[in-house]
Amino acid sequence: MKVLIPVKRVLDYNVKARVKADQSGVDLANVKMSMNPFDEISVEQAVRLQEAGTATETIVVSIGPAKAQETIRTALAMGMDRGIHVQTDDDLEPLAVAKILKALVESEAIDLVIAGKQAIDGDNGATGSMLAAMLGWPQGTFANSMEFGGDSLTVKREVDGGLQTVKLSLPAVVTTDLRLNEPRYASLPNIMKAKKKPIDAKTPADFGVDTAPRITTVKVTEPEARSAGVKVEDVPALVAALKTEGVI
Amino acid sequence: MAILVVAEHDNETLKDATHKTVTAAAAMGGDIDILVAGKGVKDVMAQAAKIAGVRHVLAVDHESLRRQLAESMQEVIVPLMSEYDAVLAPDTTTHKNYMPRVAAMLDVMQISSITGVVDAKTFVRPIYAGNAMATVKSGDAKQVVTVRTTAFDAAGETGSADAKTLADPSGPFKSEYVGEELSESDRPELTAAKIVVSGGRGVGSAENFAIIEKLADKLGAAVGASRAAVDAGYVPNDYQVGQTGKAVAPELYMAIGISGAIQHLAGMKDSKVIVAINKDEEAPIFQVADYGLVADLFKAVPELEAAL
């Protein structure tokens, strides 16, 4: 089974986003960037499938600026086989990303795509399901666990009420939730080995799809600040305050 | 302009999230129809018809829609969209699952988890875990929008729309429902509760979470948790409040043993009154709390429960 993992280079999970003074967006100059945490879970899952003999080849793709290569190298160091870098300085929308991924799935004859359920910058949560629809494939979103059986895949999904299990025919798209696995750290020898693994260089134009943005960002602002309240001395003082507020 | 709102329901009861999504649709302007897709949804149709400002209720009643799986929902909604300029659904896991499929088939960029409507094509939505608010304008002919329901008031129930049942979706579909493990609870639903009591890593263990649950039961509250508490296995995943979990906005939110990571704050900072109990007085949660109590939660929580 050939597995494709899309990864995105985003503002590091632990760095607080700062809105630019001109309200044009979030300041990404000189801040730490990392692989989207949900994509790390996808990469880990692909490597585990390879170790289990389920995956025959694992391919990582990133669509982004020159530095997205570093994110691809990280995935290769975690154990994936090879990379594809679709270089663009435009911040492509999920719709455009899904179109490029669809073209790649077809040209690489992919059987399974595991994508993060959302990227922690745009928080759209759209790419995986869009790709599944474009391919006419079933999907298992917000995956908590995955189990293969013959030509089907059973996915336990994290839903609002608890967990839901669905059975998908393959090929399929899975999107990862937090509890699917715990991503490994790449070892130094694997980081060295990853430097020799191939990365194909592509551009969006190679895929012949329309990547023009559909959405214009009018402005980006700070969220309404919530000011700190008061510290209460003890439990009776807290109870009195909540009674005054009328919330208990 | 005509807007389709997809109902949130469990085949028996229409959920409040639907009423809130109707409010978001009304802010866009135009005729609003509600789609009830499920199995055995007669009662839900009747409830939807009462929502103020609704023109028609459309229902599709078919076994393949009992769990509202992604492919069947896509199959129902996409053909309907020839009659509509926009489709809105609550941003619960049910709708987050299939809405991007609808958008892709319409060749439209989805606008996710809106918290505000500026006009029929311009919306406000949180990005970067709620650390920034983006105002975005869609250039697409049709809009596919999911709605952060905690940001909108519920529409009233003074309406009397007509209701009709549409044709069944065709199939077969490539995915099937196998089963579910739902958290059994008599407590109110997390996203709809007036009071939420949440525990974090400071609670220390699944056993210790009992003191959070006891306090919640005394208050008639829902129980929530931070990602740290879920990851540590203290409580199931569906308790998680935060950017990647559930967004809540109750009258009272009590954060107990929660440090207040930005991802958690994104899911609860719209609560009316926030209380934090934490032994670390430097914890970031105190920066958003209306009332902070620096205390050992194992002493303070039982004392609080006894005092209520």
Side-chain angles (χ1 to χ4, degrees):
Chain A
M1 180 182 318
K2 261 177 106 172
V3 181
L4 181 71
I5 308 292
V7 298
K8 186 176 187 186
R9 182 174 178 269
V10 298
L11 182 66
D12 186 83
Y13 185 74
N14 290 309
V15 177
K16 190 176 186 295
R18 303 270 172 210
V19 171
K20 287 197 226 173
D22 66 0
Q23 301 194 333
S24 64
V26 164
D27 196 353
L28 297 178
N30 305 314
V31 291
K32 189 181 176 203
M33 304 287 281
S34 304
M35 189 189 299
N36 178 41
F38 291 101
D39 301 345
E40 273 189 318
I41 296 171
S42 311
V43 171
E44 175 64 33
Q45 198 66 17
V47 175
R48 288 184 189 192
L49 290 176
Q50 190 153 42
E51 288 166 348
T54 311
T56 50
E57 188 179 19
T58 55
I59 305 167
V60 53
V61 56
S62 192
I63 303 167
K67 288 212 162 160
Q69 278 221 16
E70 291 171 14
T71 313
I72 295 172
R73 290 283 171 211
T74 304
L76 296 176
M78 286 171 74
M80 294 189 64
D81 291 327
R82 64 181 171 94
I84 298 169
H85 179 208
V86 183
Q87 191 168 335
T88 172
D89 287 329
D90 299 330
D91 186 15
L92 296 190
E93 293 168 354
L95 185 69
V97 170
K99 287 177 182 176
I100 292 175
L101 293 177
K102 174 177 185 274
L104 265 176
V105 162
E106 286 164 352
S107 64
E108 295 279 354
I110 297 294
D111 305 294
L112 175 68
V113 178
I114 309 175
K117 78 163 178 180
Q118 74 194 71
I120 61 164
D121 50 4
D123 283 329
N124 286 297
T127 303
S129 297
M130 284 184 159
L131 174 63
M134 288 174 187
L135 290 163
W137 287 8
Q139 65 181 31
T141 53
F142 326 138
N144 176 283
S145 70
M146 293 168 61
E147 205 177 304
F148 289 88
D151 55 359
S152 73
L153 166 62
T154 303
V155 179
K156 204 170 264 191
R157 308 176 52 233
E158 297 200 358
V159 295
D160 284 340
L163 294 167
Q164 181 192 63
T165 307
V166 291
K167 190 171 162 188
L168 317 173
S169 66
L170 288 167
V173 174
V174 170
T175 74
T176 58
D177 216 319
L178 294 169
R179 264 72 54 175
L180 181 60
N181 61 49
E182 221 167 286
R184 70 193 65 193
Y185 290 100
S187 66
L188 190 59
N190 284 342
I191 292 170
M192 300 310 289
K193 259 202 280 186
K195 292 189 174 162
K196 297 203 181 80
K197 290 183 181 175
I199 298 181
D200 273 357
K202 302 269 187 195
T203 66
D206 294 336
F207 299 94
V209 296
D210 171 22
T211 59
R214 305 298 185 82
I215 288 179
T216 324
T217 299
V218 179
K219 61 176 178 179
V220 175
T221 56
E222 296 274 355
E224 226 170 282
R226 198 180 169 109
S227 52
V230 295
K231 291 256 168 70
V232 291
E233 269 310 302
D234 49 22
V235 169
L238 177 60
V239 172
L242 295 180
K243 286 199 169 137
T244 310
E245 289 273 3
V247 289
I248 58 169
Chain B
M1 160 138 176
I3 303 170
L4 185 66
V5 168
V6 190
E8 170 91 0
H9 65 86
D10 59 6
N11 296 320
E12 285 164 17
T13 313
L14 184 71
K15 306 288 177 181
D16 198 43
T18 315
H19 302 68
K20 292 173 173 174
T21 305
V22 166
T23 300
M28 293 168 68
D31 296 322
I32 300 168
D33 293 351
I34 294 190
L35 171 67
V36 178
K39 176 63 190 165
V41 291
K42 224 170 169 182
D43 291 348
V44 180
M45 287 169 72
Q47 293 159 38
K50 286 192 206 143
I51 299 181
V54 172
R55 182 178 64 173
H56 305 300
V57 174
L58 313 174
V60 185
D61 201 320
H62 189 252
E63 187 54 43
S64 72
L65 293 163
R66 187 183 290 278
R67 313 289 170 177
Q68 300 175 54
L69 295 190
E71 288 168 90
S72 43
M73 290 300 282
Q74 171 193 330
E75 194 82 7
V76 168
I77 295 170
V78 172
L80 282 177
M81 288 309 293
S82 59
E83 308 283 325
Y84 293 93
D85 303 289
V87 54
L88 271 66
D91 77 339
T92 59
T93 50
T94 300
H95 307 281
K96 279 183 189 172
N97 189 31
Y98 67 79
M99 284 290 269
R101 292 186 76 108
V102 171
M105 295 327 283
L106 298 173
D107 193 26
V108 161
M109 178 53 210
Q110 170 171 302
I111 300 185
S112 307
S113 299
I114 62 159
T115 56
V117 176
V118 178
D119 60 40
K121 291 197 170 202
T122 314
F123 306 91
V124 181
R125 56 180 301 267
I127 54 174
Y128 289 90
N131 282 297
M133 302 302 292
T135 303
V136 295
K137 190 175 170 59
S138 168
D140 283 315
K142 293 180 192 290
Q143 274 65 55
V144 177
V145 180
T146 61
V147 177
R148 178 71 53 90
T149 52
T150 51
F152 296 90
D153 293 331
E157 292 201 331
T158 53
S160 55
D162 60 88
K164 63 174 172 186
T165 302
L166 307 177
D168 293 341
S170 51
F173 303 109
K174 294 170 181 167
S175 57
E176 59 179 291
Y177 171 84
V178 176
E180 62 193 0
E181 301 152 46
L182 300 185
S183 301
E184 294 287 335
S185 170
D186 296 332
R187 298 190 188 101
E189 225 178 304
L190 190 50
T191 52
K194 288 210 158 52
I195 304 178
V196 173
V197 181
S198 284
R201 198 195 298 273
V203 178
S205 71
E207 294 71 37
N208 289 350
F209 230 85
I211 67 166
I212 302 290
E213 289 166 351
K214 237 173 124 185
L215 174 60
D217 291 342
K218 192 77 175 263
L219 288 163
V223 176
S226 67
R227 176 187 168 186
V230 176
D231 283 357
Y234 303 168
V235 288
N237 62 278
D238 53 294
Y239 282 41
Q240 188 181 325
V241 171
Q243 180 69 2
T244 61
K246 289 177 186 163
V248 301
E251 298 281 303
L252 172 62
Y253 187 88
M254 305 190 77
I256 298 170
I258 290 177
S259 64
I262 48 178
Q263 290 79 10
H264 185 75
L265 301 184
M268 47 65 89
K269 64 185 169 57
D270 294 330
S271 307
K272 190 166 159 251
V273 175
I274 297 175
V275 169
I277 301 176
N278 202 304
K279 66 180 176 197
D280 173 12
E281 64 176 313
E282 301 298 319
I285 191 76
F286 288 122
Q287 290 166 21
V288 299
D290 299 287
Y291 300 100
L293 176 61
V294 180
D296 177 358
L297 71 93
F298 297 105
K299 260 186 68 189
V301 174
E303 194 186 333
L304 177 58
E305 194 226 318
L308 293 169

